[in-house]
Amino acid sequence: MAIENKTALEELFQNHSSGLVRFLSRKMKSTEDAEDIAQNAFIRIQRVASTGELDNLKAYLYQTASNLAIDQLRREKLHNNYVNQETSKHLTQDEGSPSLSDQCTPDRLLTAQRQLKEIKRAMDNLPVKCRQAFLLHRNKGLSYSEIAHEMSVSVSSVEKYILQSLKVCRKTLTKTGEGQLF
């Protein structure tokens, strides 16, 4: 069944978009993610359906959306595993560290000031959305879903922005030899 004109695609969207979002909402953590995936599924079906090789557009649409949802859930799991590993690595390092009074030496303060300058420079070079998401999370303590709502993006986009920010800061600190804060 080929989608030969724009009207047929619009009809497919009208008939199945809300049901598809409901279907995806059961799999995903947020409705926004479900809507993003549904939109991507419609884009993919538009590309394939125009060739005329599909017999059952609805089945293909739902299977495509399901596959996209599974891919996103896998990416989220990988991201969470990475964050947990980094957090536990730094917690382990902190347990063996000297007491607070031993850490507040003039050398340590000077190093911390340099690190903050490098972080500020790195943050200034980040794309606006990455910087905004990072600052909302780190400075204001907002959750990923709260940031997503405030920035009008999906939660997965917020995760990507924050991860990108952390990578840039870590790379900057490593490159300058100032160590790692994250």
Side-chain angles (χ1 to χ4, degrees):
M1 176 179 186
I3 296 181
E4 297 177 8
N5 59 36
K6 193 174 180 180
T7 308
L9 184 61
E10 289 172 355
E11 184 178 315
L12 180 69
F13 181 79
Q14 292 295 327
N15 292 337
H16 299 292
S17 64
S18 60
L20 184 61
V21 170
R22 280 193 307 275
F23 168 74
L24 292 168
S25 293
R26 285 183 241 134
K27 292 182 178 224
M28 305 306 297
K29 294 176 184 176
S30 72
T31 305
E32 292 85 11
D33 285 345
E35 290 170 349
D36 286 348
I37 291 170
Q39 181 179 7
N40 286 335
F42 277 107
I43 291 170
R44 286 194 182 187
I45 201 168
Q46 178 185 10
R47 290 182 196 146
V48 175
S50 62
T51 63
E53 297 176 7
L54 294 177
D55 294 328
N56 187 342
L57 286 175
K58 181 180 176 184
Y60 185 81
L61 175 66
Y62 275 77
Q63 187 61 54
T64 300
S66 181
N67 291 344
L68 289 170
I70 289 168
D71 288 346
Q72 181 166 331
L73 291 171
R74 283 183 187 145
R75 283 191 305 273
E76 286 176 12
K77 185 177 180 182
L78 285 173
H79 171 74
N80 289 337
N81 287 342
Y82 174 77
V83 170
N84 289 338
Q85 286 175 349
E86 290 297 311
T87 302
S88 65
K89 187 187 327 179
H90 291 291
L91 289 176
T92 305
Q93 289 173 355
D94 290 343
E95 289 172 359
S97 62
S99 68
L100 183 61
S101 61
D102 293 338
Q103 290 180 358
C104 292
T105 64
D107 287 339
R108 177 66 185 126
L109 291 173
L110 183 59
T111 301
Q113 288 174 342
R114 280 191 220 133
Q115 287 175 332
L116 288 173
K117 283 182 184 177
E118 291 303 320
I119 289 171
K120 183 181 181 331
R121 188 173 300 134
M123 294 300 293
D124 289 343
N125 292 328
L126 282 172
V128 174
K129 288 187 176 190
C130 290
R131 182 173 49 240
Q132 182 183 8
F134 183 81
L135 293 175
L136 288 172
H137 183 62
R138 294 293 173 131
N139 288 351
K140 295 198 176 189
L142 297 181
S143 70
Y144 284 11
S145 59
E146 291 170 329
I147 296 169
H149 178 72
E150 186 164 321
M151 292 177 63
S152 300
V153 297
S154 68
V155 174
S156 64
S157 293
V158 171
E159 291 172 351
K160 290 173 192 170
Y161 294 149
I162 291 174
L163 185 60
Q164 182 180 355
S165 301
L166 290 171
K167 284 180 179 180
V168 167
C169 289
R170 181 177 293 124
K171 183 178 179 183
T172 300
L173 290 175
T174 302
K175 187 174 19 173
T176 61
E178 294 295 336
Q180 294 185 3
L181 282 180
F182 303 101

